[in-house]
Amino acid sequence: MLLTWLIFLPLAGAVPLLIVRDKNAREIKVWAILVSFVTFLVSLPLWFNFDPTGDLFQFVEKHRWITLKNLNAGYNLGADGFSALLILLTTFLTPIALLGSWNYIKDRQKEFYIAMLVLETAMIGVFAAQDLFLFYVFFEASLIPMYLIIGIWGGENRIYATTKFVLYTVFGSLLMFVAILFVYYKSGSADFAIADLAKALDDARAHGRLTLKEEYWCFWAFALAFAIKVPLFPLHTWLPDAHVEAPTPGSVILAGILLKMGGYGFLRVVVPFFPRAAEFYAPVFAWLCIIGIVYGSLMAFAQKDIKKLIAYSSVAHLGTCMLGIFSFQAIGVQGGMYQMLNHGISTGALFLLVGMLYERTHTRQIDYFGGIAKIVPTFTICFVVITLSSIGLPLTNGFVGEFACLMGAFLRNPWWGFFGGLGVILGAVYMLYLVKRVFFGKVIRRSNESLEDLDGREISLLIPLLAMVFVMGLAPTPFFKRMEPAVNAFVKASEGAHPTASAKPSMAALDAPAPAVSKRGDVQ
Amino acid sequence: MDFLIDIIDTCVKWIPGWIVNPSHIRAFYAESLFIIPLMPLLGFLINGFFRDKISRGASGLVASLAAFASFLWAVLCFHACRGHLPEFDHGAGYLHRMLSTEPLHKVYGTWFDTGTFSCAFGLYMDQLSGVMALVVTGVGTLIHVYSMGYMAHDKAFARYFAYLNLFLFSMLVLILADNLVLTFVGWEGVGLCSYLLIGFWYEDGEKAAAGMKAFIFNRVGDLGFLLGIFTLVAAFGTANYYAAPHALGSYTLPVVAPHKSFVKDSSKEEGKREVVMMPDAPGLIDYADGLKLMGNADAKVPLGYKADGGNFDLSKTAGAKVFPAGWTVGFAISLACLLLFIGACGKSAQLPLYAWLPDAMAGPTPVSALIHAATMVTAGVYMLARLHALYLFSSATMDVVAIVGGTTAIFAALIGLTQTDIKKVLAYSTVSQLGYMFLGAGVGAFALAIFHVVTHALFKALLFLGSGSVIHAMSGEQDMRKMGGLRKKLPITFWTMVIGALALGGIVPFAGYWSKDAILANVLAKAMETHETSYWVLYLFACVGAFCTAFYTARLIGLTFFGECRASDEVKAHIHESPPSMTVPLIVLAVLSVIGGWWLHNDLISFLNFGEISQNAENEHVEWINLICTLAASFGGAGLGILLYISKVFVPKPEESKNPLVRLSFNKFYIEAFYDRGVTGFFSIFAEALHLFVDVLLIDFLLVNGVGKLVRGLGGALRKTQTGLINVYATGILVGALAILFYLLKG
Amino acid sequence: MDVTGMPILADAGLMDFVAGLFSFKLVSCLALSAAIFSIGAMGVLARRNVLVMLISVEVMLNAVMLAFVSFARAMVNLGPPAGKTFAAEGGQIFALFIIAVAAAEAAVGLAIVIAYFRNRQTVDTRDIKAMRN
C-alpha cells in the first residue's frame, strides 16, 4: 500500500485547500509544505526497506481497474531501482520547491499549491505505475498542472511558452497512445501490465507476429514521446521557453523531475519493448545525444538570460544521461540513471538560486550583475558549489554520473565517448563564464550593492541539496546497488533478440572462451 | 645524514608503539596514510567554515600547522615504506635498507561500485609517491609560512588559507591515490584550487578570467585523461595501479622484489615454461609487468591467452564491443598513454596547452610558487612516472612525449628571453623546465624526471618566493624595468635569489645542474643509441634551451638587483626587506637549492627504483660530451647575461624593438593571442550564430512554429467554407448522406 | 402476395379491383414516402424562411414516419426473416416516437425562431449568419 499512499497523499492534501479562503495564505503554504514533507517521510521506506538483493519489483500492488471485454487495464504499482530512486527524487524535491515558492508566488496562492500537489501525485504515479495504461494516464495528467503553473504564474510570455510546452508534449504522447493500443492488440497480451506486455511482445516477435517494420514504427512512436520529454536535440526548443517563463518552483520541478520521465520512459518502456529497433537506432540516438551535448553547451554559452542558460545546460546534461543509456552497457545505464538524479539535484538547486536572485532584482539578465560575490558571499558559495557539481567535479555528485555515462558510451564506441566527453570541457566553459560574469569583477551597478545575502529560509532549503551533492558524490554505491538489478534487467532486455553472455568490460571475461561476437542490431 | 635518519627511525618505531603491537607497525602506517591528506582537509574545513570568526593569526597558524603535520606524517610514512622497520632490519647496511622497500597500501572503502566497475578510496605510498608527498608537503609548509607574511594585509586571509589547504589536500590525493580515478579526483581538485587561487582577487575581472582560462585549459587535458582511463578500463577492466593489499592491514613480505604482484611459482613448471601467477584482481601495473614477461619469455600468459609478441588482438576478446578490429593490447596501451599524456599536457602546461600558465601569474605570488611552479604543474610528470610501466610499452607515445617536452623546453625558454614582468619570466621558465622533465620521461629516464621535479620544486619555489619578496618590497610592481639596484636594500632576498638563479641556470654544483645534466645525458645517449635525427634535434633544443635559461636568469637578476633603482620615488621610499616569516622559508629553500642536487642525485634515482629502465648514461663518451655541452650552454648563457645585464645593465624595450625575432619572442610567437582572440572569438561568434540560425531560426521559427503556422494557414483556408448559411450546411448534410448511401449500396 | 407487393391481376373482376385498391402495396407507400421526403428536403434547402424550413423538417419527419409504418405493415404480412424474432410493432412504436420528437422539435425550434425574431426582426436565413467563417 505504500505506493498508493504516496500517490494519493498529495492529492488528498490538496482537497482541504479547496475550501480554505485565499487570504489565509500563510496557512495554505504551511499546509502544502507539510503535506509534501509528510509525503517525503512516507517515501523513505522506498530507500530503507528496498532490498537490492530481493525481487526486481518491490512494494507491488495489483488491482483490477478497467476490465472491458478487450481492454484490460490494471492498477499495477511497483518499484524497482529506477522507480524507487525517481520517486524519492520527486518527494525530496517537491517540498524544497514549495518552500522555494514562499515569496515568489504572490497571487492565487491556493490554486498554485493545489496545482503543485496534484502535480506531485501525477509524477509519483508515473514512476510507480507498472501498467502501461496507468502510466499513460499519469504521464498525461502531469501535463495539466504544469500547463497551469506556467500559464498562470509564469512570466510575460507565459501563454506562448505553456502552449508550446503542451503542444510539443501532447504531439508525442498521442502518437505514443496509438502505439500503446497497437502494441496491446498486436501482442495479444492479457493486460496492460508492462512486464506482461514486454513478454507478450517477445513472444510476438519470436513467432513473427510483430514484424520488424511494425516494431520500428512503434519504437518511433514511443521514442518520440519520450525524446520530446527528455528533451533530445532537435526537439528541445520548448524547454528554454518553458523554463524562462515558469515560476521558480515550476522550473525546479520541470527540470528536476518532469524531464526525467523521458529518460525513465526509455528505460522502462521503449527499450524493453522494442530491443531490435532500439539496437538498430541506438547510433542515431547516441549521435543526437552527442549533438545535444555539444549544441546545448554552445547554446548555453550564447545566452544572456541566466535561466535560459541553465535550461540549455539541461539539454546538454540530459544528452549525457541518454548517451549513457543508449550505450546499453551496464555502467552507462547506471551512469545515465545516476546522472538523472544528479541533474535533478544540481539543476534544481541552480533554478532555486536564480529564483532567489530574481526575487531580489527582478531580472535574470547576466549583464545586470557582475562582482556580486563580494556582496552576497554565502549565495556565491552555494552557487559555485552547485556549479562545480553541475560541471562534474570529482567528489561532487556530477562526476560519478558523468564518468559512468561516458565510460559506458566509450565502451560501446570510443568515438561516442570522445565526442560526448566534449561536454566536460564545454560545461566548464559556459558555467564558469556565467560565474565569472555574475559574481566576479567589479560591481557594475550601484543598486546591486544593497543586495541581501541568503536568509534562513533560503539557506535551509539549499542545505539538503548541498548535502546531497556531496553525499551522492562521496557515497554513490548505495544508489548503484539499488539500481543494479533494474539495470541488469534493462541491459538484458536491450540484448533481447540476441542475448550475449556478458556485457562486462573486464579482463575477467577473457578467461572464459571468447564469446561469439554478438552482432547487435543484426536483424533481417 | 645518518644522525637525522636515526632520529626519524626512533620516531617511526616509537609513535605507534603506544598504540599497536610493534610487529604491526607497517600496518599501522599503511592504515594511517589517510592522515597525510586529512590534515590539510581539516585545515580547509576550519578556515572555510569559520572564515568570518577566526582571527588572522589563528587562521594562518591552523593552515600552516595542518601542512606541517601532514609533512611530518609523510616523513614517517615515507620512512616506514622505505623499510626502516623491525621486520626489515636485517642488519644490512644503509643502501640495502634503501632498496628493500615495500609500499604502503591501504584501501579504506569503496567509492563507487556500479557492479561492472568499481573504484575504491585507497592510498598507496611507494618511493615515488613518497618523494612527491614530501616535496608537496615540505615546500607547501614553507609556502604557508611565507604566505602569513606575504598576505598579512589581505582582507580575505582565511579564505586564502582555506584554498591553500584545499590545494594541498587535492595534491596529496592525486599523489597518494591507488587508482587512476582517485588520481583524477586530485587532478581535478588541484585544477579547481588553481582556478580559485588564480582568481583569488576576483574583483579584478582579468584575474578571474585568468583563473577561468586555467581551468578550461586543464579541462581540455582532463578530457584526455578521462578517455585514457576509459581505454585502460576497456582493455584491462580496472583502473587500479596495483592489486589490492592481500588483507586489510596485514602485510607479507614480497617474494620477488621489486614487483610484489608476481609470485613465480616454480613448482608448476611445464617443460621450460614459467608459470606466472597474477595476483587476484591485478592492477594496471601488474598487467603491464605481466605483458612484459610475456614479451620476454614464452610464458603461459596470465590472462588466459597466448602471447603473440606481446600483442593480442583485442577485437577477438572481451574488448570486442569496444575496439575496432585489429586493435591490439599494445595499441590500446599506446592510445591510453597518448590520451593520458594530453591530460599531462594540460596540467603541466606543455605545448599546445601551455597558454594558461603565464596568465596564472595573476594569482598571489606564493600561489604561483606552490601551485604553478613546485607542485601542481608537475602532476603530469608524476602521472607519467606512476604509469611508466605502461608508457614503456609504447615507443610511439614515448617519442611524442619527448618531442613535446623538448619543443616546449626551447619554445618557452625563447619566450622567456624578452619578457619584462618578473613573474612572467619565471612562468615561462617553469614551462620550459617542465619541458625538460617530459623530455627526460620521454627518453625513459623517469627517475630523472622526478629528480628534476624535486630540484625544480626547490629552486623555482625559491625564485618565486624571492620575486614575491621583491614585489612586496616594490609595492606590487612586477615590471623588472622599474626595479634595479635592490641588492643593497634586500640583501637576504638578493642572495637567496642568486642561489636560486644559479640552480635554475644549471651551474655546478647547484641543484638544477644535477638533474638537468642527467636528463640531457640521457637524451644524448638515446640519440647515440637510436641514431635518429629527431633525438639529435631534441638534444640540440635542450642545449639551446639551457643556454637561454642561463641567459634569462642572469638577466632577471641583473635587471632586478643591479644597476640604479629605476622605481619612482614614492615606491623607493617604501622598499624594505621582508619580515622573517618570508625570509626564513627563502633561506631554507636556498640551502636546499645548494645542497639538494648533490645530496639526492644518487639516492633518489636509485631508490625511485624504476629498475633497468632509467639508468644514468653509462657510456663514458656520453658523460663527457654532455658535460661539455651543458656546461658550455650554462656558462655561456650566464656569461652573456652577466655581460649584458649585470656589468652594464641594459634596460630592454622589447615592445619597441624592430628585430623580428625579439618581437616574435616578446609576443609569445602570437600563440596566446591566437587563443585569446582567435579561439575565444570564434567560439563565441560560432555559438551566437548557431543560436540565432539553428535554434531560433531553423528549429523554432521554421520547424516548430512553422508547423503551427501551417496548421493555422490550412485552418484559415478551410474557414472560408463556413458560410454560416443554414441552407448550405443542410445541402452539405444531404450530399454527404447521399454519398454515404451511394457508397453503402454500391459496396 | 410476393415480396415485391405486386398483386396478380389476372382474372380480376370488379370486386377484385376494389379489393386490390385496399390491398397493401409497400412500393407505393415507399414511393409516396420518398416523394414527401424530397419535398421536405427541398423545402429545407431552398426556402429562406426558417419557419418554412421548420415546417419542411416536419414534412420530412412525416415521410420517415410513413416509411416506418409501411415497413411495419409489410412485416406483418411477411413475418420476420428466418432465425430472427422481433416485434412487428417496432415500426409503429418508432412512428410514435417520431411524433413525440417532432412535437418537441417543433416546440424548441419555434421557440428559437421566435426568440431570434424578437431580437433581430427577421427569420430569413440569408440574414442569419453569425456563424460565418
Side-chain angles (χ1 to χ4, degrees), chain A residues 160 164 168 234 236-237 295 298-299 301-303 312 331 334 373-374 381 388 391-395 399 403 406-407 410-412 414 418 421 424-426 429 432-433 436 440-442 473-474 476-477 480-481 484 502-503 505-507 509-511 514, chain B residues 51 110-117 121 181 184-185 188 192 195 202-203 205 208-209 212 215-216 219-220 223 226-227 229-231 233-237 287 303-305 316-318 320-322 683-684 686-688 690-691 694-695 699-700 704-705:
Chain A
Y160 171 73
K164 198 170 174 183
Y168 244 116
H236 63 277
T237 53
Y295 182 82
L298 287 170
M299 290 302 99
F301 183 78
Q303 296 311 313
Y312 274 112
I331 189 167
Q334 294 221 330
K374 203 177 150 195
I381 290 171
L388 296 176
I391 64 178
L393 202 83
L395 300 189
F399 172 71
F403 182 84
L406 291 177
M407 185 184 275
F410 186 88
L411 291 181
R412 177 72 194 270
F418 172 73
V424 171
I425 302 171
L426 295 174
V429 173
L432 293 185
Y433 190 49
K436 182 193 158 252
F440 297 155
K442 293 211 164 40
L474 287 166
T477 312
F480 283 134
K481 281 279 165 276
E484 210 178 312
S502 163
S506 149
M507 267 317 205
L510 285 174
D511 294 334
Chain B
R51 64 186 188 286
T110 318
W111 174 19
F112 63 92
D113 178 2
T114 68
T116 47
F117 175 77
F121 285 118
V181 185
F184 187 72
V185 171
E188 288 257 283
L192 168 69
Y195 162 73
Y202 58 78
E203 282 162 54
M212 199 178 89
F215 196 86
I216 289 166
R219 273 259 154 162
V220 175
L223 175 59
L226 263 184
L227 294 173
I229 296 176
F230 294 159
T231 314
V233 171
F236 297 112
Y287 277 122
L303 310 173
Y305 277 81
K316 292 188 187 120
T317 66
K321 269 188 270 172
V322 187
F683 188 76
S684 38
F686 181 62
E688 298 269 357
L690 210 59
H691 177 243
V694 177
D695 223 51
I699 298 180
D700 226 28
V704 177
N705 291 345

